[in-house]
Amino acid sequence: MARSSGGPAAVAELRSGQRSRAMLLLRALVDIASAHPALPGPLPPPRDAWHLLVRAERRSPAAVDRLLLHPPVGVWLNRCLRRLRGLESGDGPLWSAVGYLHAVAASAALLAGIDFRGAVPMRDGGVILPALGFARLPDRADVAEVVMTDRKAAVVSGPYAVTLPADFSEEAPGWHGLRRLRGEHRGIVCSPYVDDIDPYRDFLRIRGPQRLTDKERRGWQERFDSAWRLVAQQREVDPRGIGACLSSVVPVPYVAWPEPFSASSPEAYGCVLLGGATDPLTLAAALVHEAQHIKLSALMDLVPLIEQGLEEIHYAPWRLDPRPLRGLFQGVYAFAGVTGFWQDRLRRAGSGPAGDTAAFEFALRRAQTSSGLRTLLDHAELTPMGQEFLHRLEERLAQWLARPVPSVPGRLAADLIEDHRMVHRMRHLRPDPGRLAQWARAWRERSEPPRELPGTSVRPTRTEALTRPALARLRLRDPEEFARLREGGGAGSPDGGDAPDRADLDRAAPDRADPKQAALDRAAPDRAALNRVALDRADLNRAAPDRADLDWAAGDTTAALRRYRGRVAADPDDIAAWAGLALSLPGGPARTALLSHPELVLAVHREVRTAPGTGPDPVALARWIGARTGR
């Protein structure tokens, strides 16, 4: 695994650890729930479900394993335990949430083929049987019964009954079986559930059944099959291990522009959330990315690799918000896998747009991984095993860093690495006010500033999607479409020339937490999904690409510089324009200052502008700071 892979044998060890973990959590839940004064409600005691699980395991250990390792069961276990301990609120009565335990036991008993009769909670117009399916019942009762006699099963509520098919994955009147996707290439198979029914399938929120139509399911199957062929072709990350650890794919309505949404969670071993339709390359890279997260989370449950790691936050080159070191560890491992995937695509693609796209993604992801890895080695408190793990990963990465890439994809990737870092620094770093005031006074008085640079503090703020990565991808993937977009002019931006900056109020985003983002952060150490081939014309039109960004992507730095100066003059707090300015400048003190200390240049500019039109020329200010910080 330390070489960013992990085959079936390694995944089997991880699954064994996850089974043990689930069993411990399940026993803890039974013990706590059995002593809770508000339980069991209208259901039997929790220990009845436990005893049914024991009966099922004696008949068929594989049946209980299937339930213990079913991703929604892991989500439910963690959420329910937090609720029982008063650490989390929940929707609906507590007895119903805990009652999912009876549904788990019923599913295990059905799979084991033992006769039983057990009460289960009803919600969303029916009964969920985890890992099996959903029985719709017109009754409005709170509780139903699951009955198994002579291998014939039914869900019963009052006068209504749903007879379950012998093959639980099939459809039957009132019954929606849990279906699978299937991908196979040269004997390497991946067949996860496509879960559209379980209330705990989406670890970010509880949601009722939302059955995919036949057309939607066929679309998912076609895309998954094409994507799996790409995953199985490469050998940088063992595809058999990926197939072994992907248990379920959950379609979700979340949108993450410009890159498609995907996520995984340590609480849902084997589950990948995917938002919307995407092309096979993007989906394949996302599967590799999330499989890496899944494996590392399971490994870290067994082997401590990092001590603490949630106390301080650092720059993550694949996200604009600061990340804890533990999250950075996850990102490094995930993007190492993605780097390997694109290295394989580069080897296969040859010349032309496909080769340029693969070269760009490979160059971008290896640089991001290298940057994050260096931060971990410099700042994280690693265990001896963690040190060994990262150094082996570093050896693998060194081989990739030595591989040359074509100039245009390489230039675009290198620019975007700088772009991302500058935007992050300007968005989240705040220079010490006292020192900053001295630098501003020195500019006004044309005197020498302090010899020391102002210290900075991290103040996380809102972030926004950048359009330049999408434009870079479009230029490489579809040069003709990019040329048409550029000829159309993009969104207007004024030409700057040497016009003075218009003063403005500081409109930096306030410090406030986004609840949905916080939920995503808790759920997925690094939710970024991937890659990430280019967007279509409609996506770019929604983002209204600016002419300066189009000029930059085309490599016309002269035109880009003029237009970025105009953008900064029109809006001195346009952080993306400041970063574009740096990317378009020729080498020299101004470019050096913006690349190295963009937050200082921006902060001094804010400090010295007092009224419209009085701000300093941004290039002149950057040149002045660069000449003094380089001494």
Side-chain angles (χ1 to χ4, degrees):
M1 282 190 62
R3 293 182 60 80
S4 80
S5 190
V11 171
E13 292 289 339
L14 299 179
R15 286 177 60 85
S16 177
Q18 289 299 295
R19 183 196 185 281
S20 297
R21 180 178 184 274
M23 185 62 80
L24 290 170
L25 292 177
L26 189 62
R27 185 53 192 259
L29 185 142
V30 170
D31 290 344
I32 296 171
S34 296
H36 198 286
L39 297 172
L43 290 169
R47 292 197 188 280
D48 285 11
W50 177 266
H51 294 319
L52 183 57
L53 276 170
V54 171
R55 285 180 60 199
E57 186 176 37
R58 286 172 179 163
R59 173 71 67 85
S60 174
V64 175
D65 284 357
R66 179 169 164 182
L67 268 298
L68 291 175
L69 292 170
H70 189 50
V73 172
V75 176
W76 162 74
L77 271 171
N78 284 274
R79 292 181 70 110
C80 198
L81 277 169
R82 287 194 293 269
R83 188 172 176 184
L84 285 168
R85 291 167 174 160
L87 302 176
E88 180 175 300
S89 61
D91 62 335
L94 178 62
W95 68 261
S96 180
V98 175
Y100 187 87
L101 170 63
H102 291 278
V104 170
S107 288
L110 289 169
L111 288 171
I114 62 177
D115 291 348
F116 76 100
R117 175 183 293 269
V120 293
M122 285 183 60
R123 61 173 297 158
D124 300 315
V127 169
I128 182 70
L129 291 173
L132 300 185
F134 181 73
R136 289 198 178 276
L137 290 162
D139 198 11
R140 294 182 176 273
D142 293 328
V143 175
E145 279 194 319
V146 182
V147 182
M148 178 83 159
T149 305
D150 295 330
R151 306 193 69 83
K152 295 180 180 179
V155 181
V156 181
S157 179
Y160 305 103
V162 173
T163 301
L164 306 190
D167 181 349
F168 298 117
S169 66
E170 293 181 351
E171 296 289 289
W175 175 253
H176 296 305
L178 184 58
R179 300 171 296 191
R180 289 184 181 272
L181 300 173
R182 180 177 174 82
E184 181 174 2
H185 181 71
R186 294 181 179 177
I188 302 175
V189 177
C190 182
S191 186
Y193 294 117
V194 53
D195 196 341
D196 51 7
I197 56 174
D198 198 291
Y200 295 99
R201 66 189 183 277
D202 178 353
F203 48 76
L204 299 179
R205 55 168 289 190
I206 296 175
R207 62 172 70 243
Q210 293 175 311
R211 194 66 163 172
L212 296 175
T213 66
D214 289 342
K215 181 180 179 181
E216 289 170 334
R217 182 172 177 270
R218 286 195 300 270
W220 277 99
Q221 174 57 45
E222 289 168 4
R223 290 188 297 274
F224 185 83
D225 184 61
S226 298
W228 182 251
R229 188 175 300 110
L230 298 174
V231 173
Q233 284 175 357
Q234 58 84 40
R235 293 294 185 271
E236 298 295 325
V237 181
D238 193 325
R240 297 168 302 161
I242 296 174
C245 77
L246 291 181
S247 302
S248 70
V249 167
V250 178
V252 292
Y254 308 132
V255 176
W257 193 92
E259 297 176 352
F261 177 90
S262 73
S264 54
S265 168
E267 296 183 354
Y269 175 79
C271 173
V272 176
L273 306 186
L274 290 171
T278 188
D279 62 275
L281 261 176
T282 303
L283 179 55
L287 293 175
V288 173
H289 178 97
E290 300 303 343
Q292 293 290 93
H293 279 313
I294 291 166
K295 288 183 288 186
L296 183 60
S297 293
L299 177 65
M300 293 175 80
D301 281 338
L302 297 174
V303 181
L305 302 177
I306 182 172
E307 302 290 353
Q308 304 303 320
L310 295 174
E311 317 74 30
E312 57 182 273
I313 53 178
H314 292 265
Y315 169 62
W318 43 82
R319 291 177 63 139
L320 283 174
D321 55 327
R323 300 292 292 149
L325 287 166
R326 189 171 290 270
L328 199 62
F329 203 121
Q330 279 280 353
V332 164
Y333 191 67
F335 278 104
V338 175
T339 301
F341 173 80
W342 285 112
Q343 192 273 344
D344 180 83
R345 297 313 306 168
L346 177 59
R347 180 174 61 83
R348 296 172 182 273
S351 58
D356 287 342
T357 296
F360 166 80
E361 298 291 352
F362 172 64
L364 180 67
R365 300 312 182 187
R366 71 179 180 181
Q368 291 172 327
T369 306
S370 179
S371 173
L373 179 61
R374 182 48 48 198
T375 299
L376 284 173
L377 292 174
D378 289 344
H379 297 283
E381 185 181 348
L382 301 167
T383 65
M385 191 69 74
Q387 286 274 3
E388 182 179 355
F389 188 94
L390 288 185
H391 283 307
R392 291 193 183 188
L393 189 60
E394 186 179 33
E395 292 173 1
R396 183 75 175 280
L397 187 59
Q399 300 172 8
W400 291 331
L401 290 169
R403 175 163 184 169
V405 296
S407 59
V408 172
R411 190 271 299 178
L412 289 170
D415 269 11
L416 289 176
I417 290 293
E418 296 287 4
D419 184 23
H420 189 277
R421 188 180 54 79
M422 285 187 289
V423 170
H424 170 90
R425 291 180 69 95
M426 286 185 281
R427 181 63 70 193
H428 301 298
L429 297 189
R430 297 292 180 268
D432 173 72
R435 290 286 186 187
L436 175 61
Q438 293 175 345
W439 276 79
R441 185 167 57 252
W443 167 264
R444 292 192 192 99
E445 298 173 354
R446 298 298 188 265
S447 60
E448 285 299 308
R451 297 189 62 85
E452 298 83 11
L453 289 170
T456 58
S457 58
V458 179
R459 293 177 55 194
T461 65
R462 292 180 300 173
T463 59
E464 66 286 320
L466 299 176
T467 59
R468 282 187 284 264
L471 292 172
R473 290 184 169 104
L474 182 63
R475 177 189 171 179
L476 297 171
R477 178 185 66 89
D478 193 343
E480 293 181 359
E481 178 65 15
F482 175 79
R484 284 193 293 270
L485 184 63
R486 192 177 179 217
E487 288 168 6
S493 61
D495 287 351
D498 293 320
D501 295 343
R502 177 170 58 85
D504 202 350
L505 295 174
D506 182 356
R507 293 192 298 274
D511 292 338
R512 66 170 181 251
D514 180 343
K516 181 176 286 188
Q517 183 65 54
L520 288 166
D521 287 346
R522 286 195 303 272
D526 178 30
R527 69 177 179 87
L530 278 123
N531 119 350
R532 337 191 137 163
V533 213
L535 312 169
D536 61 23
R537 178 68 176 265
D539 288 327
L540 289 167
N541 285 342
R542 282 196 295 272
D546 186 86
R547 283 184 292 175
D549 292 335
L550 288 164
D551 290 336
W552 164 81
D556 188 348
T557 55
T558 301
L561 177 59
R562 183 177 67 255
R563 288 186 167 124
Y564 283 129
R565 288 174 70 104
R567 277 177 56 178
V568 173
D571 181 2
D573 286 312
D574 184 345
I575 285 176
W578 279 95
L581 190 71
L583 296 178
S584 305
L585 282 167
R591 177 180 170 89
T592 299
L594 282 167
L595 291 179
S596 303
H597 310 290
E599 72 285 354
L600 175 59
V601 179
L602 177 62
V604 172
H605 195 276
R606 285 173 173 166
E607 190 80 7
V608 300
R609 64 182 190 254
T610 57
T614 63
D617 174 74
V619 175
L621 177 63
R623 185 182 302 114
W624 178 78
I625 292 176
R628 282 146 184 84
T629 56
R631 63 194 175 193

